[in-house]
Amino acid sequence: MNDTITLALSKGRIFDETLPLLKAAGIEVLEDPEKSRKLILPTNQPGVRVVLVRATDVPTYVEHGGADLGVTGKDTLIEHGGQGLYQPLDLRIARCRVSVAVRADFDYATAVRQGSRLRVATKYTTIARDFFATKGVHVDLIKLYGSMELAPLTGLADAIVDLVSTGNTLKANQLVEVERIMDISSRLVVNQASLKLKQARLRPLLDAFAAATAQEPRT
Ligand code: PRT
Ligand code: MG
């Protein structure tokens, strides 16, 4: 078991978009997470397995050695803090952006100009706090864990900070994007102890991921 490489992934877009990169590294996951109830998935390589965790738990698993490496959104990584994680590669997958959105009838520009205190609902409190602090806008942050779009519609908040990709979810809820805070993609994260102790097994994997995303690994 000691020599096994454990890769933490979340179900859904991160799993789906990591598969081609794994394939480029010669690794094929032998079960479909949408069909299996297993949380540990074998691969075609006896020494490599995949564990399925919540997207927000990937950095925690890798930090504490529950997995040797993982794939996680930059959004999740910023909120986690990234401590204890080696971040060698931007995999350029699961791309989206973090934006500020408000109800179409809310005059965000005027509220900001007048120095009004804004109520902002978000799962991304670190990103939101930094962004509004830099802008010099006073905010009351309301921490939510999902369905952020509902907050301005119910009067819980004036604005939300959330991920946007096509913009369809905002549109369907009569919200408009008023600021882009940052672009997001997913990163490879590696446990620092694993990188030293399992160097011989991990290095070819990191090199294959780097080649598949056409970049040099940061060392
Ligand atoms: O869904 P669950 O609560 O289990 O966990 P999660 O939302 O943390 O995980 P998941 O799998 O949905 O997202 C994992 C990662 O994918 C995120 O951390 C991002 O880095 C990345 N990603 C890329 C996205 C999106 N695109 C995205 N569009 N994550 C979420 N969304 C959601 C967004 O929150 C909004 O509700 O999709 C909706 C907007 O999409 P559009 O296309 O309508 O704009
Ligand atoms: Mg989600």
Side-chain angles (χ1 to χ4, degrees), residues 110-164:
T110 299
V112 167
R113 192 165 357 97
Q114 292 177 342
S116 312
R117 210 174 171 88
L118 284 183
R119 292 169 306 147
V120 177
T122 188
K123 178 160 118 179
Y124 303 102
T125 49
T126 300
I127 293 172
R129 187 176 296 111
D130 287 356
F131 175 73
F132 287 110
T134 303
K135 257 179 96 72
V137 174
H138 293 288
V139 291
D140 291 319
L141 291 177
I142 302 166
K143 169 88 182 183
L144 292 178
Y145 293 88
S147 302
M148 260 83 80
E149 296 86 2
L150 199 53
L153 305 178
T154 54
L156 179 68
D158 303 310
I160 59 171
V161 168
D162 195 9
L163 302 177
V164 180

Side-chain angles (χ1 to χ4, degrees), residues 11 13-14 54-55 73 75-76 94-96 123 149 162-169 184:
K11 271 205 234 183
R13 69 191 101 219
I14 289 191
R54 280 294 292 264
D75 49 320
T76 306
R95 287 170 181 248
C96 57
K123 178 160 118 179
E149 296 86 2
D162 195 9
L163 302 177
V164 180
S165 136
T166 60
N168 290 339
T169 305
I184 297 291

